[in-house]
């Protein structure tokens, strides 16, 4: 049984309905939003318009729309930031690291020297991920790490505008 995180109200429903400046791109089934914690500059998430929790809850049209939206924003991120790579990942349930009970698919432009810690576990052990290979993740530093990557609403809006301007037509 997949245990879901509790977030009431759901912050991704709020982002979709009330904080329109966060929306970089949209389709019939998805919204692409800027991540409020910029572990990487330009980090975005594709979310479903519908409030559903995990991969297991998606319809077939939503599945297709999510990857199409992810590819669109990945193209924009490449044009905007010339990253070393594009990382995508998605967590289902508390034990996979899911923090918000609303489906979201991360699309992350990777740059050298970034400050990952709460990201997916494979980053903790791979060279050039900002940590020595084999070093265990110490969750004690997560609060400070989150504080370091929290940027102002104005800066997030500016980043969202920049990415939006580089979306494929
Ligand atoms: Zn929601």
């Amino acid at each position: 049984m997949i245990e879901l995180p509790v977030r009431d109200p759901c912050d991704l429903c709020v982002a979709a309905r009330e904080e329109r400046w966060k929306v970089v791109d949209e389709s019939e089934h998805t919204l692409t939003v800027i991540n409020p914690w910029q572990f990487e500059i330009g980090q975005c998430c594709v979310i479903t318009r519908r409030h559903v929790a995990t991969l297991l809850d998606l319809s077939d049209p939503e599945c297709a729309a999510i990857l199409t939206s992810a590819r669109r924003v990945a193209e924009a991120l490449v044009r905007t930031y010339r990253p070393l790579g594009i990382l995508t990942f998605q967590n289902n349930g508390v034990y996979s690291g899911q923090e918000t009970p609303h489906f979201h698919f991360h699309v992350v432009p990777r740059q050298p020297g970034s400050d990952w810690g709460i990201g997916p576990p494979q980053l903790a052990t791979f060279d050039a991920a900002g940590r020595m290979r084999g070093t265990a993740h110490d969750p004690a530093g997560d609060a400070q790490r989150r504080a370091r990557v929290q940027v102002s609403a104005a800066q997030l809006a500016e980043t969202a505008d920049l990415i939006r301007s580089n979306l494929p037509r």
Side-chain angles (χ1 to χ4, degrees), residues 11-12 14-25 31-37 43-45 47 150-153 156-161 163-164:
D11 49 0
L12 291 182
V14 170
R17 291 182 191 129
E18 293 169 22
E19 300 180 20
R20 297 295 301 171
W21 56 267
K22 277 187 182 168
V23 177
V24 172
D25 193 19
L31 295 169
T32 302
V33 297
I34 194 89
N35 192 318
W37 291 282
Q43 179 173 356
C44 288
C45 282
I47 70 174
Q150 183 97 62
V151 301
S152 70
L156 280 179
E158 193 176 306
T159 302
D161 283 345
I163 297 167
R164 201 180 297 116

Side-chain angles (χ1 to χ4, degrees), residues 95-137:
Y95 290 91
S96 77
Q98 187 177 10
E99 296 179 309
T100 292
H102 185 134
F103 180 90
H104 53 292
F105 185 90
H106 295 267
V107 184
V108 185
R110 290 285 297 155
Q111 301 287 2
S114 55
D115 194 17
W116 280 88
I118 307 169
Q122 70 269 25
L123 283 181
T125 56
F126 111 79
D127 290 337
R131 184 180 298 124
M132 295 290 289
R133 179 178 286 278
T135 309
H137 171 57

Side-chain angles (χ1 to χ4, degrees), residues 4-164:
L4 296 176
V6 176
R7 211 44 96 85
D8 188 18
C10 168
D11 49 0
L12 291 182
C13 283
V14 170
R17 291 182 191 129
E18 293 169 22
E19 300 180 20
R20 297 295 301 171
W21 56 267
K22 277 187 182 168
V23 177
V24 172
D25 193 19
E26 55 189 307
S27 74
E28 182 184 352
H29 296 291
T30 65
L31 295 169
T32 302
V33 297
I34 194 89
N35 192 318
W37 291 282
Q38 292 279 283
F39 289 96
E40 295 277 10
I41 303 301
Q43 179 173 356
C44 288
C45 282
V46 177
I47 70 174
T48 47
R49 283 187 185 271
R50 205 162 59 96
H51 179 90
V52 292
T54 74
L55 176 69
L56 302 169
D57 304 308
L58 298 175
S59 68
D60 287 352
E62 284 169 334
C63 286
I66 287 157
L67 273 190
T68 299
S69 297
R71 184 186 60 201
R72 278 176 59 79
V73 77
E75 286 181 30
L77 292 172
V78 166
R79 285 188 194 133
T80 307
Y81 298 108
R82 304 274 167 222
L84 298 178
I86 297 281
L87 171 72
T88 61
F89 67 98
Q90 192 268 322
N91 305 314
N92 299 282
V94 170
Y95 290 91
S96 77
Q98 187 177 10
E99 296 179 309
T100 292
H102 185 134
F103 180 90
H104 53 292
F105 185 90
H106 295 267
V107 184
V108 185
R110 290 285 297 155
Q111 301 287 2
S114 55
D115 194 17
W116 280 88
I118 307 169
Q122 70 269 25
L123 283 181
T125 56
F126 111 79
D127 290 337
R131 184 180 298 124
M132 295 290 289
R133 179 178 286 278
T135 309
H137 171 57
D138 175 10
D142 284 351
Q144 294 97 309
R145 193 173 290 108
R146 259 187 201 287
R148 278 201 298 278
V149 298
Q150 183 97 62
V151 301
S152 70
Q155 195 178 334
L156 280 179
E158 193 176 306
T159 302
D161 283 345
L162 182 61
I163 297 167
R164 201 180 297 116

